[in-house]
Amino acid sequence: MTVQKTFLSILILALSTQMQAQKDNLPIYLDETKDIELRIENALSRMTLSEKIAMTHAQSKFSSPGVPRLGIPEFWTTDGPHGIRPEVLWDEWDQAGWTNDSCVAFPALTCLAATWNPEISYLYGKSIGEEARYRKKDILLGPGVNIYRTPLNGRNFEYMGEDPYLSSKMVVPYVKGVQSNGVAACVKHFALNNQEVKRHNTNVIIDDRTLYEIYLPAFKAAVIEGGAWSIMGAYNLYKNQHLCHNEYILNNILKSEWGFDGVVVSDWGGVHDTKEAITNGLDMEFGSWTNGLSKGTKSAYDNYYLAYPYLQMIKKGEAGTKELDEKVKRILRLSFRTTMNSKRPYGSLCSQAHFNAAKQIGEEGIVLLQNKDNTLPIDLSTNKKIAVIGENAIKMMTVGGGSSSLKVKYEISPLDGIVKRAGNNAEIVFARGYVGDPTGEYNGVKSGQNLKDDRSSEELISEAVNAAKDADYVIFIGGLNKSNNQDCEDSDRKGIELPYTQNEVINALAKANKNLVVVNISGNAVTMPWIKDTKAILQAWYLGSEAGNAIASVLFGDVNPSGKLPFTFPASLEEVGAHKLGEYLGIERNDGSNIIDEKYNEGLFVGYRWADKEKTSPLFPFGYGLSYTTFKYGKASADKKSITQDETIKITIPVTNSGSVKGAEVVQLYISDLKSSLPRPVKELKGFKKVYLNPDETKEVVFEITKNELSFFDDKKHDWIAEPGKFEILIGASSADIKSKVSFDLK
């Protein structure tokens, strides 16, 4: 009997131990009835120290480990903001050689911002999120919302322009659209990433007011209004700390002031110090340049700053586990929102709906800058001869530019789009005009084009002129490309002028034929010394897979252009505050640190704010864009003459399509503080609405203004202040074309 009792006790103990062991290893995602925060605590309590450390750093170029023992999946990230990057090898940048990783290329974010249409932004985010989800990506490394401070920044094409209000209103629906697929948007590059030259060692010096009013609002909106699940640190420094582990930006502002509950992801190679990475707000480390294999470790990733060095500091008592647990909680929260969300949709790849979306975004973002004598749209009622000139008419633009480079299912060139749309109603001839960059390759993805041409510039111009002489229309398609020192990551432009010999080509074409149309493809402003000799100008951006079809739709009038510029086109660099005040690229310290200090001496006065302050006349102002119809603005009215701090004032403006073609107008509302205790810009964008009108149709556009739109950031009080006094509402078709004004008092 005693033996039996002993055996039974041992058996019960063994079974109990086995059941507990099984319970400890149960996949966390099985119990979805519990609140996410309870599940986070439950998962954290089961994890070992090594498992926690592993979750805070990468295991491959684009992935980080989960916890296989607990059924927590690994994370897979992907560039970028314009399309889903092709697969690379586990530990190399070289292509993985997949045949099913082509994608839809959506227009660059400058084009999206130029639509001034939040509904289109949601369509963009939802569509690219579906592509990411289908490719089993959990974090989309985008969108980018850094402010357009200088037209030389090589990465401006990935951002949403110069104005914090416009960027804020456009980023929120993009984030929501992406995350509706159970894919995290990773808003970047937080913050002050406004140039590519010396981006790893430039320390930005900026006052708090400028930081809060100009450079942070879009990130704040993405976090608070958009509910972004992740955010990416920037390469540069601020307050002498790299922004991937920056106490002030990440801990004080992002996590404390804004209540961000998501994950801070490092940019690839943006981490520089283990202690700072532990304490200063970083949660997941990717892409650091370590060489762990030569040290005999199992994986190079073991020597990341948040890997083996972090583990050793904890074991030696040099660091605690409080910060680690906080990082892991955030990562687990992200997992429950993405990889362990069983209800997320499956997504779709290269669907017709996505190509249609790309085309629609491109069409709405194209900006008509000039249209003398109603040269556009092109009339095909009788047979026409159209001469198409320029390398950008045939060059693929989806390959190159840095991390946003793509491998696409197809890309319609502008020339192909024009030929297809014209059909049998026109004779299309093409001439190269100039040779820019004949290559087309990035990280092993090749365009497949051979654009080499050894002819002299004189021969190329002569050929172009001969093609243009007897044409009914000449369409020059040029601008920038995604090569180094143009619109490209890790390099800035050398100047604001068109590269290669394009100005000479355009001048020669203008002399040969008066019906000259220029299509500028770029993500940046360029100067146009030939503007008076050109009939029409289109700003066409990088439009992705459907580029040619979108451009043709506007050229031939299938779509009435409604895009507005998201940044100022200055007449010269001297009209840009960052260059006028001499602080672009900064000054290198003489202490051997290799750190460059760059003061943002222009402060709040970026873009149109600078133009207003200095009373300059830019080539094209912020918010500018023409249409094939005309719009008449009535007189703006306010429902009150004065409001208290808690009240709202309603502004109404009637807008009429006074032309003969249906179209859309972006009605812009600017606010001017007529008397302030601190210097303020002459006016600031605080509202916009895109209104669609048939000929002779009138609609009332209504804006509601609260103290939020009237406030400025008082850096001494560290708070937003709306001072009592007189304000003026300015309604305009651009920042330089004010149609109506109305004043009121804030009590």
Side-chain angles (χ1 to χ4, degrees), residues 577-644:
H579 297 274
K580 178 74 171 179
L581 298 183
E583 282 292 334
Y584 170 69
L585 295 186
I587 301 171
E588 186 169 352
R589 297 177 185 175
N590 58 8
D591 58 1
S593 65
N594 200 33
I595 299 296
I596 296 165
D597 287 317
E598 182 168 348
K599 294 180 181 178
Y600 283 29
N601 284 334
E602 72 279 9
L604 302 169
F605 301 99
V606 176
Y608 69 90
R609 290 167 170 81
W610 177 264
D612 285 348
K613 176 178 178 288
E614 297 296 304
K615 298 179 181 178
T616 62
S617 298
L619 188 64
F620 297 108
F622 171 79
Y624 175 85
L626 302 176
S627 170
Y628 293 153
T629 191
T630 54
F631 298 97
K632 181 181 178 181
Y633 285 67
K635 183 174 176 58
S637 62
D639 67 339
K640 301 181 184 75
K641 291 185 177 180
S642 65
I643 60 171
T644 65

Side-chain angles (χ1 to χ4, degrees), residues 301-322:
Y301 301 95
D302 289 341
N303 276 278
Y304 271 29
Y305 294 97
L306 286 182
Y308 187 72
Y310 191 5
L311 182 63
Q312 287 300 104
M313 286 183 68
I314 292 175
K315 289 183 175 180
K316 292 178 181 178
E318 297 172 357
T321 58
K322 177 183 176 182

Side-chain angles (χ1 to χ4, degrees), residues 360-377:
Q360 183 182 357
I361 295 162
E363 290 169 345
E364 280 215 32
I366 291 173
V367 184
L368 179 61
L369 296 177
Q370 181 167 285
N371 196 21
K372 296 178 184 176
D373 304 325
N374 294 320
T375 299
L376 294 178

Side-chain angles (χ1 to χ4, degrees), residues 381-399:
S381 59
T382 59
N383 285 340
K384 295 289 194 299
K385 179 180 179 181
I386 301 174
V388 178
I389 314 294
E391 181 177 280
N392 282 4
I394 58 173
K395 183 176 177 63
M396 281 187 71
M397 292 294 185
T398 54
V399 177

Side-chain angles (χ1 to χ4, degrees), residues 175-428:
V175 169
K176 290 183 175 179
V178 170
Q179 294 184 171
S180 69
N181 295 280
V183 174
C186 187
V187 187
K188 63 184 187 182
H189 302 87
F190 190 55
L192 301 168
N193 193 113
N194 308 115
Q195 67 192 53
E196 289 297 290
V197 174
K198 302 175 182 177
R199 58 182 178 168
H200 294 282
N201 56 332
T202 293
N203 178 57
V204 173
I205 300 173
I206 185 173
D207 64 272
D208 262 11
R209 187 175 171 213
T210 301
L211 177 70
Y212 273 80
E213 290 193 27
I214 302 295
Y215 294 97
L216 294 186
F219 291 102
K220 182 179 181 180
V223 168
I224 295 177
E225 298 175 46
W229 295 339
S230 62
I231 199 163
M232 182 188 288
Y235 280 133
N236 45 297
L237 299 92
Y238 168 66
K239 292 184 181 291
N240 298 308
Q241 290 179 343
H242 281 91
L243 280 156
C244 283
H245 36 81
N246 189 285
E247 171 73 10
Y248 191 70
I249 291 289
L250 299 181
N251 283 343
N252 296 0
I253 296 177
L254 177 65
K255 293 183 175 181
S256 295
E257 288 186 21
W258 300 350
F260 177 64
D261 69 354
V263 171
V264 175
V265 175
S266 77
D267 203 343
W268 271 233
V271 184
H272 301 268
D273 183 86
T274 297
K275 289 183 179 179
E276 286 192 4
I278 292 171
T279 59
N280 291 358
L282 180 66
D283 298 311
M284 297 178 77
E285 176 187 2
F286 282 91
S288 294
W289 300 311
T290 58
N291 184 16
L293 294 180
S294 66
K295 297 181 180 179
T297 56
K298 181 180 179 182
S299 167
Y301 301 95
D302 289 341
N303 276 278
Y304 271 29
Y305 294 97
L306 286 182
Y308 187 72
Y310 191 5
L311 182 63
Q312 287 300 104
M313 286 183 68
I314 292 175
K315 289 183 175 180
K316 292 178 181 178
E318 297 172 357
T321 58
K322 177 183 176 182
E323 295 91 351
L324 177 61
D325 284 351
E326 173 62 23
K327 297 177 195 300
V328 175
K329 283 181 183 180
R330 290 175 176 273
I331 296 167
L332 287 170
R333 187 177 295 116
L334 181 62
S335 186
F336 286 124
R337 288 167 168 168
T338 58
T339 62
M340 292 201 290
N341 175 8
S342 64
K343 296 181 177 63
R344 61 178 177 165
Y346 292 105
S348 56
L349 184 69
C350 292
S351 66
Q352 188 57 50
H354 292 171
F355 286 111
N356 292 344
K359 182 170 180 282
Q360 183 182 357
I361 295 162
E363 290 169 345
E364 280 215 32
I366 291 173
V367 184
L368 179 61
L369 296 177
Q370 181 167 285
N371 196 21
K372 296 178 184 176
D373 304 325
N374 294 320
T375 299
L376 294 178
I378 293 173
D379 179 14
L380 289 177
S381 59
T382 59
N383 285 340
K384 295 289 194 299
K385 179 180 179 181
I386 301 174
V388 178
I389 314 294
E391 181 177 280
N392 282 4
I394 58 173
K395 183 176 177 63
M396 281 187 71
M397 292 294 185
T398 54
V399 177
S403 59
S404 63
S405 180
L406 299 170
K407 175 183 174 183
V408 294
K409 186 174 182 180
Y410 68 77
E411 178 182 345
I412 304 296
S413 72
L415 179 60
D416 286 343
I418 291 169
V419 170
K420 177 184 175 183
R421 175 60 184 84
N424 296 323
N425 295 316
E427 175 193 357
I428 310 295

